[in-house]
Amino acid sequence: MRLSGWIAGAAALLIGSGLASGQTGGELSSKQMAAMDRDLIEVTIPRLGGMYASHKYAVTQVVQWYTARIGRYNGIYRAVQDVDLKGALAVAAKEDAEAKAGGKGFVRGPLWGVPIVIKANTSIAGQVTTDGWEGFQIKGHELVAPKDATVVAKLKAAGAVILGQTNMPDFAASDTNRSTAFGRTGNAYDVRFSPGGSSGGTVTAVTANMAVLGTGTDTANSIRMPSSTSSVVGLLPTRGLVSIAGIAPLDWLLDNTGPIARDVTDAAIALGAMAGEDGLDFKTANSAGKAEGGPYTPYLKTDALKGKRFGVPAFIVKEVAASVDASGRGNALRPETRAMFMKAVEELRAAGATVVFDDTILPDSYLEMIRAIKTRSYRREGTEGFLKEFGPAEYQSVDAYQKAVGTALPGTITGAPVAPVAGQPARPTVAQAVLESDAEAEANYFAPQRAALAKYHETLERLHLDGMVYPATQMPPPDETMAQDGRLSGGPHSNTGWVNNIGVPAIVVPGGFYPSGLPFGLELSARQWKDGDLLGWAFAYEQATKHRKPPVLVEQGLLP
């Protein structure tokens, strides 16, 4: 069901969402709800599995509790764009029947009975893949997915129960979470502030306990930056460990997908379910032979940081930004974020790690290497490939969409000229090509990427580093109710997009709270295919600090 339009007031929310009291697929008594509030707030996958094993709760009851919670709070925070109540209850009933039948052959999958949410750019068979854009939900021309994205199929096979799809900015092309399909998502710790983008819907849903975990996608920072605003764990796997087939692309050569969870253990369990080779994604070829394979929970040890050495990228922590955006504004590290980062550095050292500051660790010149990796020439190819496999019968190509609907797909996802926005200059036309047959592909993409990746690894080797550590954003979450520097905020910007360009894994873990009460996130990155080690470091930091605190939600809107 579609939760559409701005809804004023909590009462109107419950009616408008279709999740009013008594409409969650069955009644839960007030006594049951109170008990489940105690048991399920901040529940982890292992704890939920224990409740199922002891028959404390049925999957259907747990799904009812989560959908009731979405109905209670979603009109304020706008995290979940679509709720598939009928589908979720059908899966829950099936799993309850399996558990009741039992028998020696009955084995629960790693995500059996776990309610999750999926970002709205990721195909779910029979559902509309809005990609955050109103143009994919035009009545009679909706982008209804003919089949599941590979990662969705894997999550379903692991036993997950999909509650619905989360809000995201149009085409995942923003650092904040405003969409033409569903409006604005607020930060669960204070709805006036940004949760970041483009996976802001998922992070708000997960941190607000509207689901156990969810999926995000990341082209430049879109799992990690919003995770840092909301005290959740956001994992960007090594590119090629998890397939992106079936995810509407922004820039398919930089796009990636991974889990967003409230703790590292749940993220590790989810990654094990999501990972695997896929013929529809060339980056996953032979990944099984290169990766630290799952399950990933054996890597989670409380002493995993002892003896490890981490470098701090110089360009991220500079007082003056090396990078300047299209508006001419730099992206220097804010003083309050620097202070939070230095506290986290001391916590890492207390846990046994060495943190190295050195001006030669990824200096400004490294950004020039990253900028040399050219991908915009291949954006149309990514969109064409997605529509061919995961578009509706009405339009399975860029041209077919224009013929069917009467308007063209935006240049954001086709590489065509992009019109000026908020006073910024238009992007020039970039000739589109097919990567596999383009004579310039080696010079545009492959060679510069190899060089930048080699430099990253060379830096690790030269200084005997295990990985990198840095703040996940350059600033705290901004207030979106008033202008900042003369305009509404475009989000809590970060300098972490370089990770996508070279395809190494990175993770954000809760790193404490600013004096304002808003979260700070610490990011770690590792060598390619060392995802298990990375999870281990994050787990050790999490267990040593225990920074996560759930938000206190409101039931009345603070914004019109």
Side-chain angles (χ1 to χ4, degrees), residues 15-34:
I15 297 169
S17 69
L19 294 176
S21 177
Q23 293 185 7
T24 57
E27 290 287 349
L28 293 174
S29 69
S30 58
K31 184 176 181 180
Q32 284 178 308
M33 286 294 294

Side-chain angles (χ1 to χ4, degrees), residues 41-127:
I41 292 291
E42 298 291 282
V43 75
T44 63
I45 294 171
R47 278 175 50 208
L48 183 60
M51 293 177 196
Y52 288 144
S54 67
H55 306 292
K56 185 170 187 177
Y57 297 119
V59 181
T60 298
Q61 291 174 303
V62 171
V63 167
Q64 290 166 354
W65 183 85
Y66 276 103
T67 53
R69 190 166 173 85
I70 293 170
R72 184 176 180 183
Y73 294 113
N74 199 56
I76 306 302
Y77 296 95
R78 311 280 303 170
V80 184
Q81 176 186 281
D82 295 296
V83 176
D84 182 16
L85 180 60
K86 182 178 179 181
L89 288 173
V91 172
K94 176 177 176 293
E95 292 186 337
D96 285 335
E98 291 173 349
K100 186 175 182 179
K104 293 182 179 180
F106 174 59
V107 178
R108 292 181 172 89
L111 296 177
W112 190 90
V114 175
I116 70 171
V117 286
I118 302 293
K119 191 173 176 179
N121 59 355
T122 304
S123 302
I124 303 173
Q127 302 294 314

Side-chain angles (χ1 to χ4, degrees), residues 27 71 98 105 148 205 220 239 245 346 514 527 546:
E27 290 287 349
E98 291 173 349
D148 289 330
R239 179 64 185 97
E346 291 308 311
Y514 291 97
R527 288 173 170 81
K546 297 189 183 298

Side-chain angles (χ1 to χ4, degrees), residues 34-395:
M36 295 177 81
D37 284 347
R38 292 191 298 270
D39 289 339
L40 297 183
I41 292 291
E42 298 291 282
V43 75
T44 63
I45 294 171
R47 278 175 50 208
L48 183 60
M51 293 177 196
Y52 288 144
S54 67
H55 306 292
K56 185 170 187 177
Y57 297 119
V59 181
T60 298
Q61 291 174 303
V62 171
V63 167
Q64 290 166 354
W65 183 85
Y66 276 103
T67 53
R69 190 166 173 85
I70 293 170
R72 184 176 180 183
Y73 294 113
N74 199 56
I76 306 302
Y77 296 95
R78 311 280 303 170
V80 184
Q81 176 186 281
D82 295 296
V83 176
D84 182 16
L85 180 60
K86 182 178 179 181
L89 288 173
V91 172
K94 176 177 176 293
E95 292 186 337
D96 285 335
E98 291 173 349
K100 186 175 182 179
K104 293 182 179 180
F106 174 59
V107 178
R108 292 181 172 89
L111 296 177
W112 190 90
V114 175
I116 70 171
V117 286
I118 302 293
K119 191 173 176 179
N121 59 355
T122 304
S123 302
I124 303 173
Q127 302 294 314
V128 178
T129 310
T130 70
D131 201 16
W133 183 51
E134 60 188 353
F136 283 146
Q137 56 180 10
I138 296 171
K139 190 171 183 179
H141 302 289
E142 297 91 343
L143 200 168
V144 178
K147 58 185 176 181
D148 289 330
T150 300
V151 71
V152 169
K154 285 180 171 291
L155 290 166
K156 286 181 176 179
V161 183
I162 297 174
L163 300 177
Q165 296 167 291
T166 54
N167 190 34
M168 57 176 282
D170 298 38
F171 312 116
S174 176
D175 282 351
T176 190
N177 223 76
R178 302 185 187 99
S179 77
T180 58
F182 194 61
R184 173 189 177 270
T185 299
N187 191 304
Y189 290 86
D190 189 327
V191 72
R192 298 171 299 174
F193 288 77
S194 176
S198 62
S199 301
T202 297
V203 300
T204 295
V206 171
T207 202
N209 285 275
M210 296 180 190
V212 176
L213 61 88
T215 66
T217 64
D218 192 316
T219 307
N221 57 34
S222 288
I223 287 173
R224 295 158 292 137
M225 180 265 282
S227 294
S228 76
T229 74
S230 300
S231 199
V232 291
V233 175
L235 176 62
L236 182 80
T238 298
R239 179 64 185 97
L241 184 62
V242 178
S243 172
I244 64 168
I247 297 173
L250 173 56
D251 187 327
W252 68 292
L253 293 175
L254 302 179
D255 295 341
N256 202 346
T257 187
I260 293 169
R262 287 187 296 271
D263 72 3
V264 176
T265 300
D266 284 2
I269 294 169
L271 179 63
M274 296 166 75
E277 296 183 24
D278 179 16
L280 292 177
D281 182 351
F282 81 102
K283 288 277 190 177
T284 68
N286 303 313
S287 62
K290 295 178 282 188
E292 291 178 328
Y296 291 95
T297 48
Y299 291 93
L300 308 184
K301 299 176 181 178
T302 55
D303 63 352
L305 285 170
K306 289 184 178 179
K308 299 298 184 292
R309 288 171 57 85
F310 299 97
V312 179
F315 76 86
I316 290 181
V317 297
K318 285 189 66 171
E319 298 286 350
V320 179
S323 60
V324 177
D325 65 23
S327 68
R329 293 178 172 86
N331 210 13
L333 188 66
R334 297 279 183 88
E336 57 269 48
T337 301
R338 178 184 298 278
M340 293 297 298
F341 176 59
M342 294 309 296
K343 288 180 182 179
V345 166
E346 291 308 311
E347 290 169 335
L348 287 167
R349 289 170 173 162
T354 298
V355 180
V356 179
F357 289 81
D358 187 311
D359 289 344
T360 68
I361 299 174
L362 306 190
D364 292 352
S365 59
Y366 189 67
L367 285 180
E368 296 304 317
M369 298 185 74
I370 292 297
R371 293 186 185 113
I373 302 169
K374 307 297 184 185
T375 60
R376 191 169 175 81
S377 298
Y378 311 105
R379 283 202 176 186
R380 182 177 176 119
E381 179 186 359
T383 300
E384 293 281 10
F386 168 75
L387 290 175
K388 180 181 178 181
E389 289 286 339
F390 293 91
E394 184 184 26
Y395 49 88

Side-chain angles (χ1 to χ4, degrees), residues 453-519:
L453 178 59
K455 182 63 177 177
Y456 173 80
H457 283 146
E458 182 274 328
T459 303
L460 296 178
E461 294 295 334
R462 175 170 56 84
L463 294 173
H464 308 289
L465 303 173
D466 295 280
M468 299 286 179
V469 64
Y470 42 93
T473 62
Q474 300 297 100
M475 59 189 291
D479 188 336
E480 294 189 319
T481 65
M482 61 184 69
Q484 310 281 315
D485 298 325
R487 62 175 183 173
L488 282 178
S489 170
H493 305 302
S494 80
N495 276 350
T496 64
W498 59 278
V499 174
N500 301 74
N501 283 270
I502 60 175
V504 299
I507 192 169
V508 166
V509 64
F513 292 83
Y514 291 97
S516 66
L518 294 167

